Amino acid sequence: MADTVATLPGTLTHSAPQPPEPPPGQPYGRRSPLQDRADELARAGRPGPYGVELREVPFLTQFNLRVRERGPRSAYGLLPAAPLDFPLPLALPGTPNTVLRSGDRAAVWLGPDEWLIVTPPGTAAETDDTLRAAADTARGADGGGEGGGGSGSGSDGGVDIAYTDVSAHSTTLRLGGARARDVLRKVCPIDLHPRVFGSGACAQTLLAGGARVLLVADREPDGFLVFVRASFADYVTDWLLDSMTEYAAGDGHFRNEER
């Protein structure tokens, strides 16, 4: 029922409208950057063996994790190019521009000592606790700073750790279908051939000439996740929708020879 605004006798009254019911699983007061465009995205796609589809994957939990090794192992304190033996249930990839997954969780390589930890919506507290426990374990008896959005540090020969919840920084678009790679080629400058950018690959790049995004090849063939800053979400969506136009209409049966 609407809330009635109290007024003096003899004056008009009006009712303040209640906010709309949020989508299932979404708390009141929280809106994804592309929530109002869900129907538009659904209409723009074309299912089928030669189609392409675009949708938002909102509210993924995202933590930026920095882990720097101490001691003489590296002159710059950087970690080796191998999965890091770090007390997490999810391995951290050491090979540049790769992703390691465990169930519905993923660790995305961002730099020699930096990763993005991606977990399902609503798991921020759980992920924070996991990272805090890992930082405490790595820190050991040396003490140091607190975890939980802060940092933990180890003794000489150990590791320095810092992590931050960046879930509100960006939203995620999923581009899928047989034509997804062709759509991305129009707006992305990197080599997207399946031999170069297949499942388990990631890259930080520019999209549509100006938006800095994190591009991750999904588990499914010809599927991509685009992590884009919330303020650029509409801009990137407009470009992708425009690039999809020729594949969302007609029979779309023509395929490039290299595919």
Side-chain angles (χ1 to χ4, degrees):
M1 181 179 295
D3 296 329
T4 301
V5 178
T7 60
L8 295 174
T11 61
L12 296 176
T13 62
H14 68 277
S15 297
Q18 291 290 329
E21 289 285 337
Q26 177 178 323
Y28 275 106
R30 190 177 186 188
R31 295 175 59 83
S32 68
L34 299 172
Q35 178 175 315
D36 295 333
R37 303 187 67 175
D39 291 340
E40 178 189 1
L41 297 183
R43 291 193 303 268
R46 181 179 184 275
Y50 303 112
V52 61
E53 296 179 296
L54 180 67
R55 63 182 175 88
E56 185 186 21
V57 186
F59 307 127
L60 290 178
T61 299
Q62 303 172 53
F63 274 77
N64 181 274
L65 173 65
R66 305 293 298 265
V67 183
R68 176 159 293 204
E69 197 167 43
R70 292 181 175 183
R73 191 169 184 175
S74 168
Y76 297 98
L78 302 181
L79 295 163
L84 178 63
D85 184 16
F86 185 65
L88 276 176
L90 179 67
L92 300 178
T95 303
N97 298 323
T98 58
V99 180
L100 288 181
R101 294 182 172 91
S102 177
D104 54 4
R105 288 159 166 75
V108 183
W109 189 93
L110 299 180
D113 63 350
E114 184 177 9
W115 294 265
L116 183 69
I117 307 299
V118 183
T119 63
T123 59
E126 173 190 342
T127 304
D128 185 277
D129 289 342
T130 300
L131 291 171
R132 180 189 296 271
D136 289 343
T137 300
R139 184 167 60 240
D142 184 56
E146 292 294 328
S151 63
S153 60
S155 59
D156 290 342
V159 293
D160 290 324
I161 302 165
Y163 59 91
T164 306
D165 186 345
V166 294
S167 304
H169 172 269
S170 62
T171 190
T172 308
L173 287 162
R174 189 187 187 280
L175 183 68
R179 287 296 190 178
R181 205 174 295 266
D182 296 320
V183 169
L184 278 177
R185 284 192 180 109
K186 295 183 178 185
V187 295
C188 184
I190 65 174
D191 187 353
L192 294 172
H193 192 282
R195 289 194 297 266
V196 177
F197 203 83
S199 179
C202 68
Q204 297 177 80
T205 184
L206 294 178
L207 209 65
R212 181 175 177 269
V213 301
L214 172 63
L215 185 64
V216 177
D218 207 356
R219 284 173 168 168
E220 300 178 14
D222 295 315
F224 300 90
L225 295 175
V226 182
F227 293 80
V228 57
R229 195 168 67 190
S231 59
F232 273 87
D234 278 308
Y235 173 81
V236 169
T237 298
D238 288 339
W239 272 88
L240 290 175
L241 288 176
D242 183 74
S243 299
M244 288 169 53
T245 303
E246 67 175 291
Y247 305 120
D251 57 18
H253 68 278
F254 176 79
R255 297 175 66 84
N256 292 337
E257 290 297 325
E258 66 179 355
R259 292 173 54 78

